[in-house]
C-alpha cells in the first residue's frame, strides 16, 4: 500500500510509471511463440531470479540476448552455491572450482541447495542445453569468466579470516568487488565487443569495466550494511570503519549514528571515485539495447549513493529507491547525454548536502567536482547555456532601434496628453495664456540680450 501512497505523493513519478506501463515498447521484442519450451523455461528462471535484470536482458538485441541470459543464469547458479551456508566447504569448494566444466556436462543438476534461487541449480540442465546452442566465441567467454569467478569465490570461502572478520583493507575490498562484480564486467564487455555492440578499444582498458562492476558492487555493499550484518556478513573494509568505531556493529547504536554517517561518507567518496571510468565506459557502448542494459544499473547506483549519503536510516534499516524514481531513471537513461545529466544531478545533490563538519568533506567535494569536470569536457552544456543566457540578458539590456522608437513615442505621447489636459483645465479656470507667453518671451530674450551684452 505504501508503494501506491508514495506514487500519489510524487506525481511526476506516477506519471512516469503510467507512461512506462502504457507506452513502453521494446526495440527488439522477444517472440516466445518462436522459442522452444526449454528456452522459454530459461527466461522464466531468469525472471524468477531477478526481475530487474530479466526486464533489461529480455530487451537486448537478438544477437546477444540469449548469450547474456545464459551468462546471467550460470553466474546466478554459481552464486547460489557460494551463498548456501548449508553446503559444507568440502562439497562446495570443488563445485565452485569446477563449475566451468559443468557447462559441458549434459544433464547436470544440483539438488542440495536451500537457497532462494535453488531452482536454477535444480534445472541447470536446461541452462546447459541453451549454452550448447550459443556461438563458440560466446561459450568461450562465458567459460573463461565462470572459471575465474568460481575460483575467486572458492578462495574467499576458504579464507577463514575473511569469513570471521570480513573485509580488512581497502585493497582487499577492491579485490573482493573485482571477483564478484569486476569479472562480470569483463564478461559482458567481451560479449558486447564480440556481438558488435561496443567499441573493441574497451578491451584494451580493463580498468574501465572493472570500475563499472566495482561502482555497482560498492554501492550495494554500502546500502546493505544492516541487512548484511543481520546475516553475519561484513563487507565494509575495516581500514575504513575502524576510523569511526571499535566494531562495525557499533553503528547500529544511536550514539554512533553520527560516526556511522561519516563512515558512509568515506565509503561513498571511495565509490564516487569510480564514476569517471564508468562515464568513459558508457560512451563506448554503441548499440542502444546494450547501452540501456549497462546504463540503467549505473544510474540506479548513483541515485542509491545519494540516498544513503548522510542518511542515518541506512544504518538501521534497508533503504531503497522508490519504484517511481527507478522507473523515471530507466526512462531517462537511454542516451549518453541524459545519463551524464543524471550523474551530474545526483552528484550536485550529494555536494549540496556535504557538510564541512564531515571529515570526508574535501574528498567528497573533489570527487563530485571530477564528475562535473569529466562531463563538462565531453558535453560542455553548462558553458553553452551560460553563454546563451548571457547573450539573452545582454539582448534584454540593449533594446533594438524599433523598441527605442516605440518607447520615445509612448513617452512623448503621454507627455503631450498630460500637458494638454493640464493646460485645458487651466484655461477652463480662466488662466491668461497671453500674459504668460509675453512674460516667457521677455524673460528668454531678456536673458539672451543680457548675455550678448556681457560678451
Ligand atoms: Mg554471493
Amino acid at each position: 500500500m505504501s508503494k501506491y501512497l508514495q506514487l500519489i505523493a510524487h506525481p511526476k513519478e506516477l506519471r512516469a510509471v503510467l507512461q512506462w506501463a502504457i507506452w513502453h515498447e521494446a526495440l527488439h521484442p522477444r517472440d516466445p511463440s518462436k522459442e522452444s519450451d526449454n528456452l522459454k523455461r530459461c527466461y522464466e528462471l531468469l525472471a524468477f531470479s531477478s526481475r530487474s535484470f530479466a526486464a533489461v536482458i529480455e530487451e537486448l538485441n537478438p544477437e546477444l540476448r540469449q548469450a547474456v541470459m545464459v551468462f546471467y543464469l550460470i553466474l546466478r547458479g554459481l552464486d547460489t552455491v557460494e551463498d548456501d551456508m548449508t553446503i559444507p566447504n568440502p562439497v562446495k569448494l570443488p563445485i565452485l572450482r569446477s563449475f566451468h566444466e559443468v557447462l559441458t556436462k549434459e544433464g547436470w543438476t544440483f539438488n542440495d541447495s536451500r537457497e532462494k534461487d535453488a531452482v536454477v541449480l535444480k534445472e541447470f540442465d536446461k541452462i546447459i542445453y541453451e549454452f550448447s546452442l550459443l556461438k563458440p566465441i560466446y561459450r568461450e567467454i562465458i567459460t573463461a569468466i565462470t572459471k575465474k569467478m568460481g575460483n575467486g569465490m572458492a578462495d574467499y570461502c576458504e579464507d577463514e579470516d575473511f569469513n570471521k572478520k570480513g573485509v580488512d583493507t581497502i585493497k582487499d575490498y577492491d579485490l573482493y568487488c573485482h571477483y564478484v562484480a569486476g569479472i562480470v564486467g569483463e564478461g559482458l564487455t567481451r560479449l558486447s565487443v564480440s556481438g558488435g555492440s561496443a567499441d573493441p578499444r574497451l578491451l584494451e582498458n580493463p580498468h574501465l569495466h572493472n570500475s563499472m562492476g566495482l561502482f555497482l558492487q560498492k554501492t550495494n555493499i554500502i546500502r546493505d550494511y544492516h541487512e548484511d550484518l543481520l546475516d553475519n556478513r561484513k563487507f565494509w573494509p575495516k581500514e575504513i570503519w575502524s576510523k569511526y568505531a571499535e566494531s562495525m556493529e557499533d553503528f547500529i547504536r544511536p550514539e554512533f549514528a553520527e560516526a556511522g554517517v561519516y563512515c558512509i561518507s568515506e565509503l561513498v567518496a571511495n565509490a564516487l571515485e569510480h564514476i569517471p571510468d564508468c562515464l568513459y565506459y558508457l560512451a563506448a557502448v554503441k548499440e542502444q539495447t546494450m547501452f540501456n542494459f549497462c546504463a540503467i544499473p549505473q544510474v540506479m547506483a548513483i541515485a542509491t549513493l545519494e540516498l544513503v549519503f548522510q542518511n542515518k536510516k541506512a544504518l538501521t534499516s534497508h533503504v531503497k529507491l522508490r519504484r517511481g524514481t527507478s522507473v523515471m531513471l530507466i526512462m531517462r537513461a537511454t542516451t549518453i547525454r541524459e545519463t551524464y545529466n543524471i550523474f551530474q544531478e545526483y552528484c550536485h545533490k550529494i555536494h549540496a548536502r556535504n557538510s564541512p563538519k564531515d571529515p570526508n568533506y574535501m574528498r567528497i567535494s573533489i570527487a563530485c567536482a571530477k564528475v562535473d569536470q569529466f562531463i563538462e569536457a565531453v558535453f560542455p552544456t553548462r558553458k553553452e547555456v551560460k553563454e546563451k543566457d548571457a547573450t539573452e540578458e545582454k539582448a534584454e539590456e540593449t533594446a533594438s532601434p524599433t523598441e527605442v522608437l516605440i518607447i520615445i513615442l509612448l513617452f512623448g505621447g503621454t507627455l503631450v496628453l498630460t500637458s494638454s489636459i493640464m493646460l485645458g483645465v487651466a484655461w477652463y479656470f480662466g488662466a491668461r495664456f497671453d500674459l504668460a507667453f509675453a512674460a516667457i518671451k521677455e524673460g528668454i530674450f531678456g536673458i539672451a540680450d543680457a548675455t550678448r551684452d556681457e560678451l
Side-chain angles (χ1 to χ4, degrees):
M1 189 63 188
S2 68
K3 278 184 194 170
Y4 298 107
L5 286 176
Q6 278 181 348
L7 276 178
I8 292 165
H10 300 88
K12 273 189 185 173
E13 295 180 1
L14 176 65
R15 190 180 64 182
V17 169
L18 292 173
Q19 278 177 334
W20 182 262
I22 299 166
W23 302 110
H24 176 70
E25 218 173 284
L27 206 56
H28 306 284
R30 241 185 85 208
D31 185 359
S33 67
K34 289 183 184 160
E35 293 172 353
S36 68
D37 287 345
N38 193 77
L39 184 57
K40 274 189 260 187
R41 180 61 188 152
C42 285
Y43 277 109
E44 281 172 19
L45 292 174
L46 175 72
F48 175 78
S49 50
S50 170
R51 276 179 62 197
S52 52
F53 270 109
V56 272
I57 291 175
E58 284 194 29
E59 294 198 1
L60 277 175
N61 66 79
E63 172 63 31
L64 284 169
R65 190 190 296 145
Q66 252 83 294
V68 175
M69 182 269 286
V70 169
F71 183 44
Y72 180 87
L73 285 175
I74 290 169
L75 297 188
R76 172 59 47 220
L78 191 65
D79 191 44
T80 305
V81 176
E82 188 224 8
D83 287 350
D84 197 331
M85 292 305 176
T86 65
I87 307 172
N89 264 0
V91 178
K92 186 187 280 189
L93 298 180
I95 298 177
L96 291 177
R97 292 198 190 281
S98 65
F99 209 74
H100 61 288
E101 291 166 6
V102 158
L103 304 180
T104 48
K105 281 184 190 164
E106 201 183 317
W108 185 90
T109 57
F110 184 78
N111 299 303
D112 297 332
S113 173
R114 294 192 187 147
E115 283 290 295
K116 180 181 89 55
D117 295 326
V119 63
V120 172
L121 291 168
K122 278 183 187 144
E123 298 189 36
F124 208 76
D125 52 337
K126 297 186 174 77
I127 299 160
I128 291 173
Y129 178 73
E130 292 305 325
F131 174 77
S132 74
L133 301 179
L134 297 177
K135 282 184 184 173
I137 180 70
Y138 298 152
R139 291 206 302 267
E140 190 190 305
I141 295 166
I142 294 173
T143 305
I145 299 298
T146 308
K147 186 178 178 184
K148 260 193 198 178
M149 195 176 233
N151 279 299
M153 284 175 168
D155 290 346
Y156 280 103
C157 288
E158 271 182 320
D159 188 337
E160 298 265 314
D161 261 7
F162 177 80
N163 291 321
K164 277 185 193 156
K165 297 177 193 166
V167 178
D168 188 23
T169 64
I170 296 170
K171 209 175 156 196
D172 294 339
Y173 180 51
D174 282 353
L175 194 63
Y176 174 77
C177 292
H178 166 73
Y179 274 110
V180 297
I183 290 177
V184 183
E186 181 191 337
L188 286 169
T189 306
R190 287 173 64 183
L191 288 173
S192 300
V193 170
S194 304
S197 288
D199 193 319
R201 281 173 292 183
L202 278 181
L203 297 175
E204 293 159 22
N205 297 286
H207 67 283
L208 297 180
H209 65 239
N210 196 47
S211 286
M212 288 281 283
L214 262 59
F215 182 61
L216 299 185
Q217 189 64 25
K218 287 181 175 181
T219 301
N220 287 346
I221 287 177
I222 301 168
R223 182 199 59 193
D224 294 343
Y225 163 81
H226 189 248
E227 207 174 62
D228 284 336
L229 216 56
L230 295 178
D231 286 343
N232 205 22
R233 288 160 168 259
K234 293 174 189 171
F235 296 112
W236 285 13
K238 189 179 177 188
E239 191 179 336
I240 290 180
W241 64 253
S242 60
K243 292 182 197 169
Y244 306 92
E246 286 293 310
S247 89
M248 209 176 124
E249 290 87 342
D250 285 346
F251 299 129
I252 293 181
R253 290 155 51 193
E255 63 268 33
F256 277 90
E258 191 177 59
V261 163
Y262 292 157
C263 184
I264 288 179
S265 292
E266 186 164 347
L267 291 163
V268 168
N270 174 285
L272 288 175
E273 285 158 6
H274 292 294
I275 294 179
D277 278 353
C278 301
L279 300 178
Y280 202 104
Y281 182 99
L282 289 170
V285 182
K286 303 297 177 196
E287 196 273 325
Q288 182 66 61
T289 60
M290 186 49 83
F291 179 82
N292 299 349
F293 177 78
C294 296
I296 290 168
Q298 297 287 323
V299 294
M300 297 280 186
I302 183 64
T304 304
L305 276 188
E306 190 270 329
L307 181 68
V308 297
F309 181 63
Q310 299 279 349
N311 187 350
K312 289 178 185 173
K313 284 182 191 163
L315 298 164
T316 52
S317 63
H318 184 70
V319 294
K320 59 178 181 180
L321 295 176
R322 290 191 302 272
R323 183 169 159 67
T325 309
S326 305
V327 173
M328 277 186 83
L329 291 173
I330 291 169
M331 287 174 74
R332 287 181 64 193
T334 53
T335 64
I336 188 70
R337 190 164 193 150
E338 194 57 5
T339 304
Y340 282 11
N341 285 344
I342 296 171
F343 268 95
Q344 214 165 18
E345 282 166 25
Y346 280 104
C347 284
H348 287 174
K349 283 186 183 179
I350 289 174
H351 188 253
R353 274 217 311 284
N354 196 14
S355 157
K357 281 192 226 158
D358 190 326
N360 305 289
Y361 176 73
M362 279 303 286
R363 198 173 159 194
I364 297 266
S365 298
I366 291 169
C368 289
K370 281 190 174 170
V371 174
D372 250 353
Q373 195 182 26
F374 183 95
I375 295 174
E376 290 299 318
V378 183
F379 292 124
T381 50
R382 289 171 66 211
K383 199 179 162 201
E384 279 173 13
V385 170
K386 268 185 196 167
E387 279 172 1
K388 204 176 153 200
D389 287 350
T391 320
E392 277 169 6
E393 270 173 33
K394 216 176 170 186
E396 277 168 21
E397 279 169 20
T398 45
S400 68
T402 323
E403 286 168 332
V404 172
L405 189 65
I406 292 170
I407 292 167
I408 290 172
L409 286 175
L410 280 173
F411 182 74
T414 314
L415 197 69
V416 169
L417 187 71
T418 320
S419 309
S420 308
I421 293 169
M422 286 172 74
L423 290 172
V425 171
W427 173 79
Y428 182 76
F429 285 104
R432 291 288 306 273
F433 288 112
D434 52 337
L435 295 177
F437 283 131
I440 292 167
K441 198 178 168 189
E442 193 184 327
I444 291 171
F445 292 112
I447 292 167
D449 289 343
T451 312
R452 192 183 52 209
D453 291 346
E454 275 173 26
L455 287 170

